[in-house]
Amino acid sequence: MQPLPEKISDFYLSAFLAQLQAEHYTIFVIMGTLPLGDQSSGTGESGKWWSLDAIEKEKKVISRDSNFSDALKNTLQSMQGYLSSAGNQVQQALGSIGGAGAAAAAA
């Protein structure tokens, strides 16, 4: 399911409805105002209605959040690489110290 509704063309809507009819689905057309959901039965509101402007604004927010998430992921990956490299350098330094001590003890 898409995170946001998308505007579709009249042609696409027509083709989609025609396909549903061909597959023997029943299509209902509702005229007027939709009722609010029955809170006592645990159902929510009838849905959220989006304007084209609201969809575009939400897409910008999602894009900005996505860019931040990507930047954070890249930063964490870089830090992981630096830490791994530093760990290797420490192990090499400790190994050379241990190796020098072992060579002196053998002599």
Side-chain angles (χ1 to χ4, degrees):
M1 187 165 167
Q2 298 287 340
L4 292 173
E6 292 185 19
K7 184 177 179 181
I8 59 173
S9 68
D10 290 341
F11 174 78
Y12 179 83
L13 178 61
S14 176
F16 181 70
L17 293 175
Q19 181 64 34
L20 290 175
Q21 284 180 321
E23 294 175 6
H24 304 289
Y25 283 90
T26 302
I27 300 170
F28 296 94
V29 177
I30 309 298
M31 306 292 282
T33 305
L34 291 173
L36 295 176
D38 181 6
Q39 300 296 329
S40 65
S41 68
T43 61
E45 295 182 11
S46 299
K48 181 172 182 176
W49 297 99
W50 294 81
S51 68
L52 292 176
D53 290 338
I55 292 171
E56 290 304 316
K57 286 179 185 176
E58 190 67 20
K59 282 182 181 179
K60 288 179 184 176
V61 168
I62 289 172
S63 175
R64 183 187 69 224
D65 291 348
S66 175
N67 290 340
F68 176 76
S69 295
D70 290 344
L72 181 60
K73 184 172 78 173
N74 291 339
T75 300
L76 291 174
Q77 286 174 345
S78 294
M79 289 174 64
Q80 185 179 22
Y82 294 141
L83 291 173
S84 176
S85 175
N88 290 339
Q89 290 174 357
V90 168
Q91 285 180 345
Q92 288 174 354
L94 291 175
S96 66
I97 293 171

